[in-house]
Amino acid sequence: MARKTANDEPLAPLTVAVGQEDLLLDRAVQQIVAAARAADEDTDVRDLTPDQLQPGTLAELTSPSLFAERKVVVVRNAQDLSADTVKDVKAYIGSPAEEITLVLLHAGGAKGKGLLDAARKAGAREVACPKMTKAADRLAFVRSEFRALGRSATSEASQALVDAIGSDLRELASAVSQLASDVEGTIDEAVVGRYYTGRAEASSFTVADRAVEGRVADALEALRWSLSTGVAPVLITSALAQGVRAIGKLSSARGGRPADLARELGMPPWKIDRVRQQMRGWTPDGVAVALRAVAEADAGVKGAGDDPEYALEKAVVTVARAARAGGRG
């Protein structure tokens, strides 16, 4: 969960979101943009990477407008800004413009610390977005997601979800949203079990499991069924990516007991056993090919392609064929 400073006004002139958890960083930006557009639906939003914010660019973006339009300027990876651009940003935050909200996303750490210190000294609103490396933090995140959606889930259900999905916060948030949408009443451990270990028609993970096992026909059948029952395509690409990454992690890890590997790789022990069974037939080249295919599909379902369903089918076939490339029968 993102933690905020006492100044919790989303439209403060300057916000710094500090950390490396992409989901929380994106949510910090979304909150500010939503508040700005609630105040003025014509708010101009500029979302920039360091290479797009050259010396002088910020001055152009924040120069007075005849129409006094509200504007949100988002700078991602602010720790990577050039020295000259950092000077521009420091000068601006000393005297910010009206009707403009500047948002700096900073990874934290030593790189670019001077800019972060200057923003804090200027009284910036700060949102902490740290990586959640501890299982307890992820469990607290799941519980907070259910509360935010106004839903009740047992402690056992929340724990089962963390155990089943692992450390990917986006995947955890998507799973909570899916359960909250589909299930009436209190969400318990049995419901989580049905969705994430045995209900093919509702689970993106079933598609991923069949694909990484090299079962082309079964994977395509699960994909079509999932799409027909309303599973979001982005959930499926996320599950595919998680499945292939798990294969890659385990194949490059040293041998050992599941409990030892679980600690090393950040997976629950039961998943180590499962991935071991799935990884027969995989090669390093196959993992690389599969990850590229999933990345292309992810871009496709997020708007880069014309046919999300075709993008998913292509990725599923590529992943399944990569699973068989090393000689799986």
Side-chain angles (χ1 to χ4, degrees):
M1 297 156 287
R3 298 190 298 274
K4 304 177 181 67
T5 57
N7 175 17
D8 194 23
E9 170 50 55
L11 296 184
L14 175 62
T15 290
V16 288
V18 185
Q20 299 180 42
E21 182 51 68
D22 289 341
L23 174 66
L24 301 184
L25 290 168
D26 285 346
R27 285 185 172 181
V29 173
Q30 290 164 6
Q31 181 196 29
I32 292 167
V33 171
R37 287 187 167 151
D40 180 356
E41 63 182 12
D42 295 323
T43 294
D44 182 16
V45 178
R46 303 297 180 92
D47 198 324
L48 307 170
T49 56
D51 62 301
Q52 294 173 313
L53 193 68
Q54 298 297 319
T57 304
L58 185 61
E60 294 177 10
L61 292 173
T62 57
S63 60
S65 166
L66 290 175
F67 304 101
E69 64 179 352
R70 183 177 291 278
K71 186 177 293 185
V72 175
V73 178
V74 180
V75 181
R76 296 183 182 271
N77 298 311
Q79 72 280 355
D80 295 331
L81 292 172
S82 69
D84 288 338
T85 303
V86 168
K87 290 179 183 177
D88 285 356
V89 176
K90 286 182 177 179
Y92 172 79
I93 63 180
S95 182
E98 292 185 9
E99 300 299 314
I100 292 179
T101 297
L102 177 63
V103 187
L104 303 177
L105 308 189
H106 195 292
K111 188 177 183 182
K113 188 173 184 296
L115 176 58
L116 187 55
D117 289 343
R120 287 167 170 162
K121 187 175 180 180
R125 168 181 178 260
E126 185 168 343
V127 182
C129 305
K131 276 285 186 185
M132 294 190 183
T133 57
K134 297 180 180 178
D137 291 337
R138 295 191 289 273
L139 180 59
F141 171 79
V142 167
R143 289 171 173 167
S144 72
E145 290 289 289
F146 278 122
R147 286 197 299 271
L149 293 172
R151 298 303 309 276
S152 175
T154 66
S155 296
E156 293 80 8
S158 296
Q159 183 64 63
L161 204 55
V162 172
D163 291 342
I165 293 177
S167 60
D168 190 319
L169 239 58
R170 289 188 188 279
E171 199 56 50
L172 284 168
S174 296
V176 169
S177 178
Q178 181 178 343
L179 288 167
S181 174
D182 289 359
V183 179
E184 296 182 358
T186 299
I187 296 164
D188 58 21
E189 187 176 11
V191 169
V192 174
R194 287 201 303 274
Y195 267 67
Y196 293 99
T197 61
R199 188 177 168 191
E201 66 268 31
S203 176
S204 56
F205 293 100
T206 299
V207 180
D209 284 341
R210 300 297 176 266
V212 300
E213 290 162 4
R215 297 161 59 181
V216 180
D218 290 341
L220 287 173
E221 181 181 359
L223 170 65
R224 290 161 187 154
W225 191 268
S226 293
L227 291 174
S228 72
T229 56
V231 176
V234 70
L235 289 181
I236 298 172
T237 57
S238 180
L240 283 168
Q242 186 174 329
V244 176
R245 284 198 298 265
I247 296 286
K249 283 182 179 180
L250 191 56
S251 63
S252 61
R254 297 174 182 175
R257 297 178 304 167
D260 296 331
L261 287 170
R263 285 191 294 271
E264 179 184 344
L265 302 178
M267 300 180 192
W270 65 263
K271 191 167 185 178
I272 297 292
D273 291 332
R274 185 173 183 177
V275 175
R276 273 179 168 165
Q277 295 173 5
Q278 293 173 332
M279 63 189 288
R280 291 182 301 108
W282 280 92
T283 66
D285 286 345
V287 171
V289 167
L291 286 175
R292 284 196 297 271
V294 174
E296 291 174 2
D298 191 56
V301 303
K302 290 178 179 176
D306 297 327
D307 190 341
E309 185 171 335
Y310 172 74
L312 283 170
E313 288 187 359
K314 183 178 178 182
V316 165
V317 170
T318 301
V319 170
R321 287 177 176 169
R324 303 173 66 90
R328 180 196 294 267

